[in-house]
Amino acid sequence: MRKIFAFYMLLGFGPLVFGQVTLSGAVLDSVTNEPMAQAIVVIDNHSLVTNRQGKFISPPLPLGKHTVSVSHVGCTTKFWQITIAGDTFINVYLPHHLHSFQEVVAYGHEHNQEPDARFIHTVSAKKLEHLAATNLSEALKNSNGVRFLRTGNTIAKPIINGMHSNRISVINDDSKQEGQQWGSEHAPEIDPLSAGSIELIKGASTLRYGGDAMGGVIRVLPATFSDSTYTRLSLIAKGETNPNGGHFGLKLERYAKELSLGQRFIVNMKRNGDAQAANYNLSNTAFGQLSGAYYAQLETGRHMFSATASAFVQQLGILSAAHIGNLTDLNRALASDTPLILKPFSYEIQAPSQRIQHYATKIKWNYESEPLGAINGSYTLQNNHRQEFDNHTGKNAAALDLNLVTQQINVFIDKHMQQYRWQYGLSGESQQNIFKGRYFIPNYQRYKTGIFAIATVEKEDYLIEAGLRYDLQKTTTYRYNKDILLEEQFDFDGFSANISGWKRLNQDLQLHLSAATRFRSPDINELFSNGLHHGSAALEFGDLTLTQERSFSVNSALNYNHNRLRFQVEPYFHYFENYIYLKPSGQKQLTIRGAFPVFNYVQTDATYVGSDLGMQYRIASQWTAELTAALVYVRDITNDTHIFGIPAQQATAMVRYTFAELLGVQNGNWKIGTEYTAKQNRIELNEDFSDSPSGYLLINTELGGQYKNTPLYFNFGVQNLLNTAYRDYMNRYRYYADDLGINFYLTLNYTF
């Protein structure tokens, strides 16, 4: 009898003794309560995939605490710790439909961020992977209010509030990205696939990132590690027909919970041939890129250390038709509907061309101090090497060779005291530029330092923030003038200040306001440019008498979000004293390297008035309509004239359909949309070298989702569906050729 009793006791308590319990549950859409198939559930070291009913069940688990994470396409990963005392069933709710929009909009305090007054648009890591973007502009292409300054088909720089280049700061994990970013064809050398997310910060409340970020800040953040031991391998591949070629990427990530050590290795390769306009080949526009990054993070007690190393190498051809041999042919090219140089399709990159190499390394330390708050310190070393090859020297000897070395030190402190938050810090930078070959800008040594303080008070339904920053810059240049070495010093300093805040008017409506004054020192090219700027196919000349800019800005945003409707309007006003811009001279000049249009840097007072608009409306549970518009009006108020190089008005419209399962595709979405860009009529007669291009309408479509019961995600799409022939006013090669024609592409993402 005792043996029988012991046997039943063992059956009853065996699972408790040996820990044979299970965790099961269902993953549901937080809005519709519909089950979410193919969600990835990670319980400690066990990786599970939900079935069509959104359900999962774990293998036998020991009693006690376990780390659980749940992720799904388009959703932010949710993770937590759970204590299991027996078989347990849970429901997990993910905000899937909220992330069907292209970006997440936050007022600093939302989404578990620290309370502040920044107005932020965020592109998530999942979105970056699905885009398979190989440059920053591709990653931001669907963000409301962002447009692009293009040079050919491979180079694009973000435009925010009508401003670009050195009025936009790119912050890579708290350090400013430094390259030859002053030129129209000098795009930021950052691989978006190495990022965890990208924040687009608009408005005046960006003092932490520098006083010169007049248009806004693009902040690239590293991905966070899940709080469990795992190894994850992701493969990304993309093929496209225009420009014909493809991209392959690999991401290997490992986290050891017992060591609190995370490591991530990323490599990406891209190769494309010549691009195609609607009716002809764009000769010598082939492109190649190789990039990689390593990131390591270690936590011990209150300390967190991280180290980053990255490399970015890019080689690209420059449109052959943009480099003309004589003035007669240049005039013909500017008046022609087709390029003067037309060659068959090729993958070969010939002169004229560019080669860009950017290498960076960083060490970073975070410490949670009781009396001081969160302390963040970092040291960054960047080396940017740019070479330009022209028809005169060929593709083996660089006509222009610029090597820029930048060192940065940043220290930030963040202290919370009940409803108050104090941020303050300082930064220092040393930068040296050395050129070889043809002179365009001089050798120089530049030192920068800045110090800032920001105070924030947050209540339940409003927040107010005020900040003050001081920046000092000293630049010493070295150049020859008639065999005499000239050493010249340029010193600039000034204060920047802002006051910002938001007010919750009701549960659905929120108002954001900010006002600021900033200054920007004239950049080295604005002072010294002297001759052929090869990538933009123009002669550019600086002015040593230029003084620093001062801006006075007011930004606002009204955000409405209720049930099916989400609406944003973001008006802004900027007044500039001593605004610097590149102006066409109306002249053309013959050099030994060919004939080119001439541009000069000039200075005036100017105003920017505009607004970014966005609306999303859920027509039905599976259908969403989206509208966006970017409007900007710029005026030279000193001379009562228009200013050259300002983007035209633009609007987009799109319809999106989401579905749980269709023809073997799960958790999918299909969208079709239009992009309309108006003709830029706000120009001065006879100032430019050719007429402003006509307005144009492009149609794009895309289908994306997961393939059956696999972790394979795909996107198939068509850009410029009607193969429209058009020229973009903001593309510097519009003088010589049309923009891109129709493009078919397929992107594949697979995670092991």
Side-chain angles (χ1 to χ4, degrees):
M1 186 70 182
R2 284 181 296 177
K3 291 182 179 180
I4 297 174
F5 179 78
F7 175 75
Y8 282 106
M9 288 291 290
L10 183 62
L11 288 179
F13 292 98
L16 298 179
V17 175
F18 295 101
Q20 300 300 304
V21 296
T22 60
L23 174 65
S24 58
V27 180
L28 307 173
D29 188 303
S30 63
V31 175
T32 65
N33 282 327
E34 293 179 357
M36 297 175 66
Q38 297 299 306
I40 298 174
V41 181
V42 178
I43 306 171
D44 297 332
N45 296 322
H46 306 288
S47 184
L48 314 168
V49 179
T50 59
N51 60 20
R52 294 185 179 182
Q53 288 74 43
K55 294 183 178 181
F56 65 92
I57 184 169
S58 75
L61 300 171
L63 297 173
K65 290 185 178 180
H66 298 270
T67 300
V68 181
S69 69
V70 180
S71 60
H72 192 270
V73 174
C75 299
T76 301
T77 301
K78 186 174 184 179
F79 57 90
W80 69 98
Q81 282 196 334
I82 185 171
T83 300
I84 302 177
D87 291 340
T88 304
F89 183 91
I90 59 173
N91 283 324
V92 182
Y93 296 93
L94 291 181
H96 179 261
H97 280 74
L98 297 179
H99 290 273
S100 65
F101 299 135
Q102 291 297 309
E103 57 198 303
V104 177
V105 182
Y107 287 90
H109 68 294
E110 295 180 354
H111 302 289
N112 298 320
Q113 297 181 14
E114 299 290 354
D116 59 44
R118 297 173 301 168
F119 190 65
I120 304 173
H121 298 244
T122 301
V123 182
S124 68
K126 285 290 184 185
K127 185 65 181 177
L128 294 174
E129 289 181 1
H130 296 164
L131 286 170
T134 55
N135 62 61
L136 203 57
S137 297
E138 287 181 357
L140 295 168
K141 66 180 180 180
N142 292 318
S143 297
N144 185 27
V146 180
R147 289 178 283 182
F148 302 100
L149 171 66
R150 299 186 181 276
T151 303
N153 63 290
T154 52
I155 300 173
K157 306 183 70 168
I159 300 175
I160 306 172
N161 286 182
M163 290 175 266
H164 57 83
S165 300
N166 41 22
R167 294 187 183 91
I168 303 295
S169 287
V170 178
I171 307 298
N172 193 351
D173 190 16
D174 289 339
S175 297
K176 186 175 181 181
Q177 182 82 1
E178 288 289 353
Q180 309 286 355
Q181 65 258 36
W182 37 263
S184 63
E185 88 301 355
H186 299 168
E189 295 90 357
I190 290 180
D191 184 351
L193 290 173
S194 64
S197 62
I198 298 177
E199 292 181 347
L200 172 64
I201 308 174
K202 300 181 182 181
S205 55
T206 54
L207 284 187
R208 171 171 173 169
Y209 312 108
D212 55 355
M214 297 172 169
V217 168
I218 297 169
R219 190 179 179 208
V220 182
L221 299 172
T224 58
F225 294 98
S226 301
D227 189 23
S228 62
T229 298
Y230 65 93
T231 299
R232 189 175 302 145
L233 176 64
S234 300
L235 301 178
I236 300 173
K238 181 178 183 179
E240 55 189 336
T241 62
N242 188 20
N244 197 345
H247 158 243
F248 177 77
L250 177 151
K251 180 188 293 186
L252 177 62
E253 184 172 290
R254 175 167 174 75
Y255 187 77
K257 183 177 180 181
E258 66 278 6
L259 301 175
S260 297
L261 174 64
Q263 298 180 82
R264 184 181 298 116
F265 174 76
I266 299 165
V267 62
N268 288 288
M269 298 169 284
K270 184 174 183 179
R271 187 72 170 93
N272 291 90
D274 289 341
Q276 305 285 318
N279 301 308
Y280 46 77
N281 185 57
L282 298 169
S283 304
N284 197 43
T285 55
F287 169 86
Q289 180 176 306
L290 175 64
S291 59
Y294 172 77
Y295 178 78
Q297 176 184 296
L298 174 66
E299 293 186 60
T300 171
R302 296 185 179 183
H303 301 269
M304 186 175 75
F305 302 92
S306 64
T308 307
S310 64
F312 183 101
V313 180
Q314 189 180 72
Q315 186 162 2
L316 51 98
I318 296 173
L319 180 70
S320 296
H323 285 248
I324 308 299
N326 57 66
L327 290 172
T328 301
D329 287 344
L330 177 59
N331 288 325
R332 286 178 53 221
L334 293 172
S336 175
D337 291 333
T338 59
L340 294 191
I341 300 175
L342 290 173
K343 298 178 181 179
F345 173 86
S346 174
Y347 282 98
E348 186 178 359
I349 301 174
Q350 299 178 330
S353 65
Q354 294 187 83
R355 182 185 300 142
I356 302 101
Q357 302 173 66
H358 189 94
Y359 304 98
T361 184
K362 171 187 289 186
I363 54 174
K364 188 175 177 181
W365 168 64
N366 291 281
Y367 177 65
E368 295 291 337
S369 168
E370 288 289 347
L372 295 178
I375 303 174
N376 180 324
S378 64
Y379 167 79
T380 306
L381 173 64
Q382 301 178 63
N383 179 215
N384 186 276
H385 188 197
R386 177 176 295 273
Q387 296 172 295
E388 298 185 352
F389 304 85
D390 62 23
N391 292 324
H392 187 73
T393 59
K395 62 179 182 179
N396 296 319
L400 178 63
D401 192 317
L402 300 172
N403 194 68
L404 186 71
V405 177
T406 306
Q407 299 182 77
Q408 298 168 325
I409 295 178
N410 293 296
V411 178
F412 302 132
I413 298 176
D414 191 346
K415 175 66 174 177
H416 291 263
M417 298 175 60
Q418 296 179 352
Q419 74 266 37
Y420 300 99
R421 182 186 184 193
W422 303 92
Q423 300 174 77
Y424 47 96
L426 56 89
S427 59
E429 179 180 291
S430 169
Q431 189 173 86
Q432 182 182 55
N433 180 74
I434 298 176
F435 81 89
K436 298 178 183 178
R438 174 174 53 84
Y439 172 84
F440 182 69
I441 59 173
N443 295 335
Y444 68 86
Q445 183 78 45
R446 181 163 65 192
Y447 297 96
K448 291 182 180 179
T449 186
I451 184 170
F452 75 92
I454 301 173
T456 306
V457 57
E458 183 183 33
K459 299 293 186 179
E460 184 176 349
D461 58 352
Y462 73 88
L463 179 145
I464 300 175
E465 178 179 279
L468 182 68
R469 183 182 180 97
Y470 173 76
D471 287 286
L472 172 66
Q473 174 180 303
K474 291 182 176 292
T475 305
T476 304
T477 62
Y478 306 90
R479 62 190 177 102
Y480 281 95
N481 185 8
K482 297 179 180 180
D483 298 326
I484 299 175
L485 179 62
L486 298 180
E487 181 177 328
E488 298 168 282
Q489 181 116 359
F490 298 85
D491 297 340
F492 299 99
D493 71 311
F495 284 93
S496 301
N498 85 281
I499 182 167
S500 306
W502 55 260
K503 168 70 174 176
R504 185 178 293 110
L505 302 179
N506 56 47
Q507 185 176 357
D508 304 318
L509 192 63
Q510 201 160 19
L511 176 67
H512 180 278
L513 290 171
S514 64
T517 178
R518 300 174 177 274
F519 86 98
R520 186 183 72 86
S521 307
D523 217 326
I524 198 75
N525 64 307
E526 296 167 334
L527 295 168
F528 284 99
S529 291
N530 186 17
L532 177 60
H533 192 177
H534 199 72
S536 58
L539 295 168
E540 299 178 3
F541 297 95
D543 184 351
L544 288 174
T545 66
L546 297 178
T547 59
Q548 67 188 34
E549 290 181 351
R550 169 65 66 178
S551 71
F552 301 89
S553 305
V554 177
N555 294 73
S556 61
L558 187 65
N559 189 31
Y560 177 81
N561 194 343
H562 180 74
N563 291 338
R564 297 183 175 188
L565 177 64
R566 173 177 152 192
F567 177 78
Q568 306 145 345
V569 55
E570 303 168 22
Y572 56 85
F573 172 81
H574 304 279
Y575 169 74
F576 286 90
E577 291 180 350
N578 303 318
Y579 177 79
I580 302 170
Y581 74 102
L582 193 61
K583 181 178 181 180
S585 68
Q587 300 176 345
K588 310 175 191 78
Q589 186 173 319
L590 181 64
T591 73
I592 61 172
R593 292 175 172 82
F596 300 94
V598 178
F599 293 78
N600 297 311
Y601 283 99
V602 298
Q603 196 160 43
T604 187
D605 293 344
T607 57
Y608 276 67
V609 180
S611 182
D612 298 329
L613 306 171
M615 184 181 73
Q616 297 86 26
Y617 182 73
R618 189 174 299 127
I619 304 171
S621 62
Q622 295 176 286
W623 290 91
T624 303
E626 303 180 22
L627 297 171
T628 67
L631 312 174
V632 59
Y633 300 87
V634 180
R635 192 74 177 170
D636 178 344
I637 59 175
T638 300
N639 302 300
D640 194 24
T641 58
H642 297 292
I643 288 180
F644 173 79
I646 302 301
Q649 319 298 13
Q650 190 176 63
T652 67
M654 181 172 64
V655 175
R656 184 193 306 270
Y657 173 72
T658 60
F659 53 90
E661 183 177 2
L662 181 66
L663 300 177
V665 178
Q666 298 183 352
N667 306 307
N669 71 90
W670 171 75
K671 61 184 179 182
I672 185 168
T674 61
E675 299 177 12
Y676 174 71
T677 302
K679 177 183 175 68
Q680 179 55 286
N681 293 312
R682 298 182 305 282
I683 58 175
E684 294 301 308
L685 295 177
N686 303 318
E687 178 185 63
D688 204 354
F689 298 100
S690 67
D691 293 337
S692 175
S694 301
Y696 58 90
L697 179 73
L698 304 180
I699 298 178
N700 308 308
T701 186
E702 182 181 272
L703 171 68
Q706 282 181 285
Y707 178 67
K708 294 186 176 179
N709 294 318
T710 71
L712 175 64
Y713 186 90
F714 75 92
N715 279 319
F716 173 74
V718 186
Q719 296 170 322
N720 193 0
L721 183 64
L722 301 181
N723 200 29
T724 301
Y726 70 99
R727 299 194 181 192
D728 187 342
Y729 177 77
M730 297 304 292
N731 191 333
R732 291 293 293 271
Y733 291 165
R734 65 178 170 86
Y735 296 133
Y736 312 102
D738 290 346
D739 233 298
L740 291 181
I742 189 170
N743 176 37
F744 296 86
Y745 64 90
L746 174 65
T747 303
L748 302 174
N749 295 267
Y750 194 95
T751 300
F752 295 89

